[in-house]
Amino acid sequence: MRILVSNDDGVHAEGIHALSEALRACGEVTVVAPDRNRSGASHSLTLEVPLRVSRIPQTGYHSVKGTPTDCVHLAVNELLSPEPDMVVAGINHGANLGDDVIYSGTVAAATEGRHLGFPSIAISLVGKTHFASAAHYAVQLVKGLMQFPLPANQILNVNVPDLPLDEIKGIKITRLGNRHRAEAVIRAEDPRGQPIYWIGPPGSQQDAGEGTDFAAIEQGYVSITPLTIDMTAYDSLAGLGAWLDLQG
């Protein structure tokens, strides 16, 4: 079993160390990750400058001056031979719940793995303390997917409560909730008096009822949400076609 590990918090993040060490129980692990924090990078590729890769002597990890998607794309298409059997992204330092998946570099790394043909998991810790708990569930899921693979158009988005392992109540299969719109942009000035802007915090929970990923975490459960990679709105195809026919 060959496992490619990446993330969006960067190659030196605590979460990726915890994940890669735990997954060695499942097989051969290769880490290819951004050289710095690239949270919020979503599914972006670096196209206008070359990608530079260095290897960190202490860990053997590959550090890429690029995005999480760059890392997985480069690993599969150039760095690794033979190719991996699975891609695992994380452990993210913080939640990827609801609308967060749109922006998440962690989810994007897993999505790129699926695009390239491999079973993929994105795993996040809803906090920054109990990485061992998230790593435990990552190992469970990797072993499970070895026996029961996902459909070819799906990944798993996993969120783990920031609790000791013995305080987590179990696992719930969930749908994505959603948040209110993000809080206002924060305006400031640089030392020369020029305006600068910070993206505001994410919005508060809006759809967080029973069955959502938000609710599972709030109740002390691991949330596992299957995400489909094909974004086609199939239930709108016929209706949209009929509407366009009327326009003609």
Side-chain angles (χ1 to χ4, degrees):
M1 181 71 171
R2 296 179 299 276
I3 304 169
L4 171 62
V5 171
S6 194
N7 72 350
D8 70 358
D9 291 304
V11 72
H12 300 292
E14 182 178 354
I16 202 168
H17 289 285
L19 178 63
S20 61
E21 289 305 310
L23 289 180
R24 295 189 196 283
C26 302
E28 178 185 337
V29 176
T30 303
V31 175
V32 184
D35 63 340
R36 63 191 187 280
N37 191 319
R38 296 304 300 264
S39 296
S42 189
H43 207 130
S44 56
L45 281 169
T46 300
L47 301 177
E48 296 190 359
V49 295
L51 298 173
R52 298 185 183 275
V53 183
S54 59
R55 194 157 188 183
I56 300 172
Q58 298 89 335
T59 60
Y61 297 173
H62 295 81
S63 173
V64 179
K65 195 169 185 179
T67 69
T69 303
D70 289 332
C71 293
V72 175
H73 191 89
L74 185 63
V76 170
N77 289 304
E78 175 63 26
L79 300 179
L80 301 186
S81 181
E83 294 180 340
D85 299 303
M86 187 177 297
V87 176
V88 184
I91 299 166
N92 193 63
H93 293 210
N96 275 310
L97 299 166
D99 313 33
D100 300 342
V101 302
I102 299 170
Y103 308 101
S104 168
T106 301
V107 174
T111 302
E112 183 67 11
R114 183 72 276 182
H115 274 311
L116 295 172
F118 309 105
S120 299
I121 304 170
I123 185 159
S124 304
L125 178 67
V126 187
K128 297 182 180 181
T129 303
H130 294 96
F131 289 101
S133 298
H136 169 84
Y137 283 99
V139 170
Q140 279 197 350
L141 289 169
V142 166
K143 289 180 176 179
L145 289 182
M146 290 165 66
Q147 299 181 44
F148 305 101
L150 286 172
N153 66 338
Q154 293 180 15
I155 67 170
L156 294 183
N157 184 47
V158 183
N159 283 272
V160 179
D162 195 10
L163 297 170
L165 187 59
D166 60 2
E167 293 182 21
I168 294 176
K169 296 179 180 178
I171 294 173
K172 287 193 174 183
I173 308 303
T174 61
R175 64 177 177 86
L176 295 178
N178 61 61
R179 300 180 184 274
H180 291 282
R181 63 183 295 175
E183 295 184 23
V185 169
I186 301 165
R187 187 184 189 279
E189 289 187 352
D190 69 14
R192 294 181 174 84
Q194 298 300 310
I196 56 175
Y197 303 92
W198 296 94
I199 299 297
S204 58
Q205 300 172 11
Q206 178 171 316
D207 177 7
E210 192 62 36
T212 66
D213 46 3
F214 286 109
I217 291 297
E218 194 69 28
Q219 296 161 9
Y221 289 87
V222 174
S223 163
I224 301 180
T225 306
L227 303 181
T228 182
I229 304 307
D230 181 355
M231 294 187 287
T232 305
Y234 288 98
D235 56 355
S236 295
L237 290 176
L240 182 59
W243 178 82
L244 289 172
D245 288 342
L246 289 174
Q247 304 308 303

